[in-house]
């Protein structure tokens, strides 16, 4: 890398959105979304992307990078031309959908048309959208290539490409597909590469397809230990590991958490174990249909799901606002995945907590985590079996007492049955059977407040996640837009600069 192009210093003081030269209509949308000032990655990227430069951005997950490329791109599209001008590639369907939704939300009123191309859904729906004409195509590499080969995605007008979570796309085997797509984009003039880490495998792509790129390093090559507590519990080798998980969940008592497992079968057994003991848990792995995966994520984001047991399919791009905790039931085989998993919590300057359950086989992985990323796990004392059972009993009794205190009417018939049970010599077993039925029943899904972080901290600008939160999207930047193929930067004194609308 060219050190002269590297920006590894914090941008201080940060400019305002108006000082970046953003159009008044977009400023209004940003204000409606709750942003007060740009996040560092957004401020650093705006000028180079608006100028049409190649950019390589190393920025931690949850830093606001999605808005970092959407905001300048909104100022560069030829809205009068209903053909693809920008392609965004993402490693997972979930991340692709999120980016597509942000384009649609932030591009409301601009005339922007966007389509998301991914597997697991009907091909014809995507085809219809492409035929109607779009400006932006977001998708996973495999499905994008499918449309290209069928000539349903015409790439002659595509002048810019975003590689989102580029290191993950390579790690899951998309390198060949990415190279084929790059080769097909004959009119490509700008590549924007975003990645939490920059492994050597990315250097070949950068050197071949990105001439004189601007390097922006806002990651400090580590999980931010000042925002995220990295702790661990030692699993008892003499009992099932799931018992340790239950002890951890009881001791930590997170309002919401993602529990990461390395294997799909493990997610199934862990979810079943937790549900059997009354925990509100759902699984997320590649065996689920796309509709089921979206439904699970919707419940989690809305605060209707407490525990999500997932494979690494959920480690990238999933934006759950204010998720306070992630639990590594299995440490990942590649420590780079620890960074991506842990990036689900502590998003955009909030505090979070990453909890690992360690076995004797994890010693080398723990050393690698320290050696590579400077992350030291603080070992906490694992509750004993007796302590765990008491915590579980206390919690369930409190839940039932809360229902009584709330005025729940118990029919006289049930009171009579309870009295008869207590008079039986095997009353303990009969009560245990009732508790089993109570805890094993599918939990209702009442609206629950959005989970709060363990140590709430007001962040700078925005409502959470990688892009502006809910709110009206920006209207179209005015007529006479700068086309993608002309990369001149508008300064603060131009249209939209100097005043917030």
């Amino acid at each position: 890398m060219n050190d002269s192009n590297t920006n590894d210093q914090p941008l201080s003081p940060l400019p305002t959105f108006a000082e970046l030269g953003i159009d008044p209509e977009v400023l209004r949308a940003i204000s409606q979304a709750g942003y007060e000032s740009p996040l560092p990655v957004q401020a650093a990227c705006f000028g180079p992307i608006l100028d049409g430069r190649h950019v390589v951005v190393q920025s931690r997950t949850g830093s606001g990078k999605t808005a970092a490329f959407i905001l300048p791109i909104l100022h560069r599209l030829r809205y009068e031309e209903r053909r693809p001008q920008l392609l965004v590639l993402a490693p997972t369907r979930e991340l692709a959908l999120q980016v597509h939704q942000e384009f649609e939300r932030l591009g409301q009123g601009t005339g922007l048309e966007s389509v998301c191309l991914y597997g697991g859904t009907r091909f014809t729906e995507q085809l219809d959208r492409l035929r109607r004409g779009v400006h932006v195509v977001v998708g996973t590499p495999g499905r994008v290539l499918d449309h290209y080969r069928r000539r349903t995605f015409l790439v002659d007008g595509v002048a810019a490409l975003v590689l989102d979570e580029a290191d993950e796309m390579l790690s899951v085997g998309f390198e060949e597909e990415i190279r084929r797509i790059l080769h097909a984009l004959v009119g490509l003039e700008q590549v924007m590469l975003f990645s939490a880490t920059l492994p050597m495998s990315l250097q070949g792509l950068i050197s071949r397809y990105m001439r004189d790129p601007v390097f922006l390093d806002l990651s400090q090559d580590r999980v931010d230990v000042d925002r995220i507590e990295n702790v661990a519990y030692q699993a008892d080798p003499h009992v099932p590991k799931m018992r340790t998980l239950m002890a951890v969940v009881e001791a930590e008592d997170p309002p919401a958490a993602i529990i990461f497992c390395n294997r799909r079968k493990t997610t199934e057994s862990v979810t079943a174990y937790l549900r059997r003991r009354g925990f509100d848990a759902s699984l997320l792995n590649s065996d689920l249909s796309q509709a089921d995966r979206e439904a699970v994520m919707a419940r989690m984001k809305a605060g209707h799901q407490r525990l999500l047991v997932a494979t690494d399919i959920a480690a990238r791009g999933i934006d759950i606002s204010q998720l306070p905790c992630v639990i590594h039931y299995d440490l990942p085989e590649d420590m780079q995945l620890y960074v991506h998993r842990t990036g689900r919590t502590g998003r955009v300057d909030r505090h979070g907590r990453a909890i690992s359950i360690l076995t004797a086989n994890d010693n080398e992985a723990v050393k690698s985590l320290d050696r590579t990323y400077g992350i030291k796990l603080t070992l906490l004392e694992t509750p004993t079996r007796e302590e765990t059972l008491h915590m579980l009993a206390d919690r369930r009794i409190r839940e039932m007492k809360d229902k009584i205190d709330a005025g729940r009417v118990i029919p006289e018939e049930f009171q009579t049955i309870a009295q008869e049970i207590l008079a039986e010599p095997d009353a303990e077993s009969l009560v245990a059977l009732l508790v089993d039925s109570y805890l094993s029943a599918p939990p209702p899904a009442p609206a629950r407040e959005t989970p709060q972080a363990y140590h709430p901290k007001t962040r700078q600008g925005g409502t959470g996640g990688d892009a502006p939160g809910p709110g009206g999207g920006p209207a179209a930047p005015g007529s006479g837009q700068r086309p993608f193929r002309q990369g001149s930067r508008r300064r603060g004194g131009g249209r939209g600069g100097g005043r917030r609308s």
Side-chain angles (χ1 to χ4, degrees), residues 56-121:
V56 176
V57 183
Q58 185 175 3
S59 180
R60 59 181 169 77
T61 304
S63 62
K65 62 180 175 53
T66 304
F69 62 81
I70 288 180
L71 291 176
I73 285 169
L74 285 175
H75 293 75
R76 302 199 61 216
L77 292 170
R78 295 174 183 254
Y79 292 101
E80 70 277 9
E81 295 185 11
R82 292 283 290 269
R83 63 173 182 168
Q85 301 166 42
L86 169 76
L87 172 62
V88 182
L89 294 179
T92 67
R93 292 176 281 188
E94 287 75 19
L95 179 55
L97 274 170
Q98 286 185 185
V99 173
H100 163 67
Q101 290 163 359
E102 288 304 322
F103 265 109
E104 290 203 321
R105 178 160 55 186
L106 297 177
Q108 292 180 52
T110 65
L112 173 73
E113 293 291 341
S114 175
V115 64
C116 190
L117 308 181
Y118 59 93
T121 188

Side-chain angles (χ1 to χ4, degrees), residues 94-204:
E94 287 75 19
L95 179 55
L97 274 170
Q98 286 185 185
V99 173
H100 163 67
Q101 290 163 359
E102 288 304 322
F103 265 109
E104 290 203 321
R105 178 160 55 186
L106 297 177
Q108 292 180 52
T110 65
L112 173 73
E113 293 291 341
S114 175
V115 64
C116 190
L117 308 181
Y118 59 93
T121 188
R122 293 178 61 187
F123 197 91
T124 54
E125 293 178 0
Q126 299 170 3
L127 178 59
D128 290 343
R129 191 74 178 264
L130 285 167
R131 285 174 173 169
R132 291 198 301 267
V134 297
H135 305 101
V136 174
V137 175
V138 185
T140 54
R143 181 52 69 94
V144 167
L145 266 180
D146 283 345
H147 278 280
Y148 169 72
R149 288 166 179 156
R150 299 181 188 209
R151 297 191 59 78
T152 53
F153 171 32
L154 301 179
V155 301
D156 56 305
V158 175
L161 171 70
V162 174
L163 299 175
D164 200 4
E165 309 287 14
D167 53 348
E168 176 68 3
M169 281 196 285
L170 265 59
S171 71
V172 298
F174 281 134
E175 181 172 1
E176 182 61 29
E177 286 87 346
I178 292 172
R179 289 185 182 275
R180 289 178 183 174
I181 291 170
L182 283 163
H183 181 73
L185 300 178
V186 293
L188 188 64
E189 296 188 353
Q190 183 182 23
V191 178
M192 294 153 275
L193 186 151
F194 291 80
S195 190
T197 61
L198 288 178
M200 291 300 296
S201 57
L202 279 178
Q203 299 308 310

Side-chain angles (χ1 to χ4, degrees), residues 307-329:
L307 301 177
L308 181 65
V309 185
T311 55
D312 288 298
I313 196 171
R316 287 307 205 104
I318 301 302
D319 177 17
I320 301 174
S321 179
Q322 303 184 45
L323 183 74
C325 176
V326 297
I327 299 174
H328 302 277
Y329 181 78

Side-chain angles (χ1 to χ4, degrees), residues 7 9-20 35-46 63 218 348-349 459-461 500:
N7 180 2
Q9 300 298 321
L11 298 176
S12 180
L14 291 173
T16 65
F17 283 114
E19 290 169 344
L20 288 175
Y35 273 67
E36 297 177 357
S37 60
L39 295 167
V41 67
Q42 296 160 3
C45 289
F46 192 85
S63 62
L218 294 96
V348 196
D349 297 333
R459 76 172 178 89
Q460 184 183 31
R500 186 188 301 270

Side-chain angles (χ1 to χ4, degrees), residues 130-430:
L130 285 167
R131 285 174 173 169
R132 291 198 301 267
V134 297
H135 305 101
V136 174
V137 175
V138 185
T140 54
R143 181 52 69 94
V144 167
L145 266 180
D146 283 345
H147 278 280
Y148 169 72
R149 288 166 179 156
R150 299 181 188 209
R151 297 191 59 78
T152 53
F153 171 32
L154 301 179
V155 301
D156 56 305
V158 175
L161 171 70
V162 174
L163 299 175
D164 200 4
E165 309 287 14
D167 53 348
E168 176 68 3
M169 281 196 285
L170 265 59
S171 71
V172 298
F174 281 134
E175 181 172 1
E176 182 61 29
E177 286 87 346
I178 292 172
R179 289 185 182 275
R180 289 178 183 174
I181 291 170
L182 283 163
H183 181 73
L185 300 178
V186 293
L188 188 64
E189 296 188 353
Q190 183 182 23
V191 178
M192 294 153 275
L193 186 151
F194 291 80
S195 190
T197 61
L198 288 178
M200 291 300 296
S201 57
L202 279 178
Q203 299 308 310
L205 285 176
I206 293 170
S207 61
R208 180 171 180 180
Y209 296 101
M210 304 176 70
R211 182 179 179 182
D212 189 28
V214 175
F215 287 94
L216 300 170
D217 184 359
L218 294 96
S219 70
Q220 302 178 5
D221 198 33
R222 62 186 176 88
V223 176
D224 295 75
V225 293
D226 56 335
R227 295 182 305 104
I228 298 177
E229 298 177 82
N230 294 272
V231 302
Y233 291 85
Q234 194 72 45
D236 186 342
H238 304 295
V239 299
K241 189 178 179 181
M242 283 182 277
R243 283 192 179 182
T244 303
L245 173 62
M246 188 175 74
V248 169
V249 173
E250 286 292 346
E252 294 280 340
D253 192 21
I258 298 179
I259 301 170
F260 285 106
C261 306
N262 289 345
R263 302 286 183 269
R264 285 174 294 181
K265 287 188 177 297
T266 309
T267 63
E268 295 168 0
S269 57
V270 167
T271 303
Y273 184 90
L274 291 172
R275 284 177 174 172
R276 187 75 169 77
R277 284 146 186 83
F279 291 98
D280 180 13
S282 287
L283 65 82
L284 179 67
N285 64 35
S286 58
D287 285 341
L288 268 65
S289 68
Q290 183 62 27
D292 287 341
R293 288 161 68 174
E294 291 176 13
V296 170
M297 288 310 307
R299 291 200 305 273
M300 192 74 183
K301 289 180 179 181
H304 298 162
Q305 185 73 57
R306 184 187 179 197
L307 301 177
L308 181 65
V309 185
T311 55
D312 288 298
I313 196 171
R316 287 307 205 104
I318 301 302
D319 177 17
I320 301 174
S321 179
Q322 303 184 45
L323 183 74
C325 176
V326 297
I327 299 174
H328 302 277
Y329 181 78
D330 300 314
L331 277 184
E333 296 168 0
D334 179 357
M335 282 301 102
Q336 180 178 303
L337 286 174
Y338 184 95
V339 176
H340 303 318
R341 290 177 174 184
T342 300
R344 299 304 96 217
T345 186
R347 295 179 70 81
V348 196
D349 297 333
R350 292 190 179 95
H351 283 266
R353 191 168 175 88
I355 303 165
S356 299
I357 298 177
L358 304 180
T359 68
N361 297 327
D362 293 324
N363 292 336
E364 188 56 40
V366 171
K367 293 177 183 177
S368 174
L369 197 58
D370 185 7
R371 184 170 58 249
T372 306
Y373 296 105
I375 298 172
K376 298 181 184 296
L377 303 183
T378 301
L379 191 62
L380 303 179
E381 184 177 354
T382 305
T384 65
R385 180 65 172 166
E386 290 73 19
E387 291 170 336
T388 302
L389 293 176
H390 280 301
M391 286 188 289
L392 178 65
D394 288 344
R395 185 184 313 281
R396 302 313 178 196
I397 292 171
R398 285 200 307 272
E399 289 174 359
M400 289 186 281
K401 284 185 174 181
D402 286 344
K403 292 181 179 180
I404 294 174
D405 293 341
R408 180 164 178 170
V409 177
I410 300 175
E412 182 181 2
E413 295 88 342
F414 292 177
Q415 296 279 10
T416 301
I417 293 173
Q419 293 169 3
E420 294 293 335
I421 287 174
L422 293 176
E424 290 288 328
D426 53 352
E428 186 174 312
S429 296
L430 292 171

Side-chain angles (χ1 to χ4, degrees), residues 5-32:
N5 284 340
T6 302
N7 180 2
D8 56 6
Q9 300 298 321
L11 298 176
S12 180
L14 291 173
T16 65
F17 283 114
E19 290 169 344
L20 288 175
I22 294 178
D23 291 274
E25 297 91 344
V26 181
L27 285 175
R28 278 195 291 272
I30 290 171
S31 177
Q32 291 171 4

